[in-house]
Amino acid sequence: MKTFILHSLFVIASGFVLPRQSCSDPVARTEWRDLSDQEKSTYIEAVQCLKDVPSRLTETTSETLWDDFAYVHRELDSEIHFVANFLPWHRWFVYIYESALQADCNYTGVMPYWDWTRDEEDPDSSPIFDNDLGFGGDGDADTGCVNSGPFAGFNVSTPDNHCLQRVFDMTMLTQYSSQSEVDSALEITSYSSFRPTVENGPHRGGHAAISGDMANNYSPNDPIFFLHHTNIDRVWWQWQSESSDRQTEYSGNRYQNDASVEATLEDTLPMNSDLASEEYTVSDFMWVESGPLCYTY
Ligand SMILES: *[C@@H]1O[C@H](CO)[C@@H](O)[C@H](O)[C@H]1NC(C)=O
Ligand SMILES: *[C@@H]1O[C@H](CO)[C@@H](O)[C@H](O)[C@H]1NC(C)=O
Ligand SMILES: [Cu+2]
């Protein structure tokens, strides 16, 4: 924990990430329902705070730091989905979000995740959707607008000004994001096959189950996006934890529209430089305890 706080201070003070010591004290990320009530409230307040921080982007419709994430994700859509870098790119994206919560909103807690497999029996009653100590539930039956919980009445600006929307279909969660779907992904031995299985299975399930903003390329409008993707990251971490070889196991198609180009660890990860000024390659995000990262699950 100490290393982590120091690290964030360096980021704030210098504007760029100084070369860091080895990761000796990784922070353990926690499932939402395993946080205390106090920890949940602190996280929700930090997320709400992003709406009060001005946008960091130039030449954009994004109005606040909250909105920047959906804008950038939408901007890069075709470069970061259905390609090999889907997992390392989103690992980095969650890290940028976590760093923003810390640097701009004084958040000192851990990055929480949503383990959907714990909701297989009764997804609608998930603590994730709690109106007091969660992210609120389904949108209004007519408008899709989220009208209850901590984010009721929140408008977002990507791709245009609209209320945050959800249109629940929890059969998608029980079908694609179940323990058995996760288990069969973990059985796969090659990255080039593991990545699409996770992306089209459990990943798709979480997006489609919440739907509304979550079903679009501006899905980071919904704060649940980050808990969902942290769990996707955790599934990858579980897969990588099988053997240290898997910390460098990376393959598949680099581009959506050109199957002939093989992805490599040296590929540069795209990012809007207003959101993160550092340039990184895939290799920097291959393991949660190296490069800029220092966490575990
Ligand atoms: C974060 O902490 C600093 C220093 O105490 C304070 O000046 C600032 O207002 C805080 N920011 C928020 C969003 O609470
Ligand atoms: C929020 O978005 C809705 C459309 O979804 C719009 O009717 C409303 O005027 C917006 N509210 C604000 C304060 O911009
Ligand atoms: Cu994405």
Side-chain angles (χ1 to χ4, degrees):
M1 193 65 180
K2 273 193 198 102
T3 335
F4 197 55
I5 291 168
L6 263 177
H7 177 60
S8 334
L9 286 177
F10 283 138
V11 175
I12 298 163
S14 63
F16 60 90
V17 180
L18 294 175
R20 57 181 303 148
Q21 311 281 311
S22 64
C23 168
S24 53
D25 199 5
V27 180
R29 292 181 171 178
T30 308
E31 213 276 339
W32 184 253
R33 72 205 78 194
D34 297 331
L35 295 175
S36 68
D37 290 357
Q38 178 63 50
E39 288 167 331
K40 287 175 181 168
S41 297
T42 305
Y43 181 79
I44 290 166
E45 281 163 25
V47 172
Q48 289 172 326
C49 154
L50 295 174
K51 248 332 196 193
D52 299 325
V53 180
S55 167
R56 283 191 207 158
L57 307 181
T58 46
E59 297 173 46
T60 156
T61 52
S62 177
E63 289 169 5
T64 70
L65 183 53
W66 171 305
D67 298 304
D68 288 354
F69 289 89
Y71 185 90
V72 170
H73 182 266
R74 174 175 163 81
E75 186 182 39
L76 298 176
D77 182 2
S78 64
E79 296 174 64
I80 56 172
H81 300 109
F82 309 111
V83 291
N85 76 18
F86 170 74
L87 291 170
W89 189 89
H90 285 80
R91 177 171 277 175
W92 183 19
F93 195 58
V94 169
Y95 171 72
I96 296 169
Y97 187 77
E98 182 185 28
S99 305
L101 291 173
Q102 295 165 349
D104 294 272
C105 295
N106 294 340
Y107 182 64
T108 56
V110 302
M111 188 63 210
Y113 59 88
W114 172 28
D115 180 0
W116 351 266
T117 65
R118 292 170 71 164
D119 291 315
E120 257 180 81
E121 299 303 320
D122 189 7
D124 288 299
S125 307
S126 173
I128 286 282
F129 306 131
D130 194 90
N131 275 334
D132 299 315
L133 293 168
F135 299 84
D138 199 359
D140 177 85
D142 296 321
T143 63
C145 298
V146 174
N147 286 336
S148 59
F151 305 103
F154 268 64
N155 270 30
V156 290
S157 63
T158 308
D160 48 25
N161 179 24
H162 67 281
C163 63
L164 175 64
Q165 289 170 319
R166 293 183 188 145
V167 187
F168 278 11
D169 177 4
M170 288 300 148
T171 61
M172 297 301 281
L173 198 79
T174 44
Q175 184 176 349
Y176 291 105
S177 310
S178 63
Q179 188 64 56
S180 67
E181 291 294 311
V182 171
D183 288 345
S184 42
L186 292 173
E187 293 290 311
I188 295 170
T189 53
S190 75
Y191 180 88
S192 60
S193 170
F194 173 77
R195 191 274 307 159
T197 302
V198 170
E199 188 171 1
N200 298 323
H203 166 253
R204 172 182 168 191
H207 281 278
I210 291 171
S211 200
D213 279 83
M214 273 289 270
N216 285 283
N217 62 9
Y218 42 86
S219 46
N221 278 335
D222 193 322
I224 296 177
F225 172 96
F226 294 95
L227 285 87
H228 174 50
H229 264 281
T230 303
N231 199 43
I232 292 295
D233 186 61
R234 176 173 154 270
V235 172
W236 184 26
W237 169 84
Q238 284 175 327
W239 184 82
Q240 292 186 303
S241 300
E242 281 291 310
S243 135
S244 58
D245 295 350
R246 291 190 177 176
Q247 295 175 20
T248 50
E249 154 87 35
Y250 185 70
S251 56
N253 58 311
R254 178 163 183 191
Y255 302 114
Q256 275 189 4
N257 55 7
D258 185 352
S260 69
V261 183
E262 187 66 16
T264 76
L265 289 169
E266 285 73 46
D267 295 343
T268 301
L269 288 171
M271 189 57 71
N272 184 309
S273 60
D274 292 330
L275 196 58
S277 54
E278 308 86 358
E279 277 235 335
Y280 286 113
T281 61
V282 169
S283 59
D284 293 313
F285 291 94
M286 284 299 292
W287 186 236
V288 298
E289 296 183 40
S290 71
L293 306 176
C294 192
Y295 64 85
T296 187
Y297 288 100

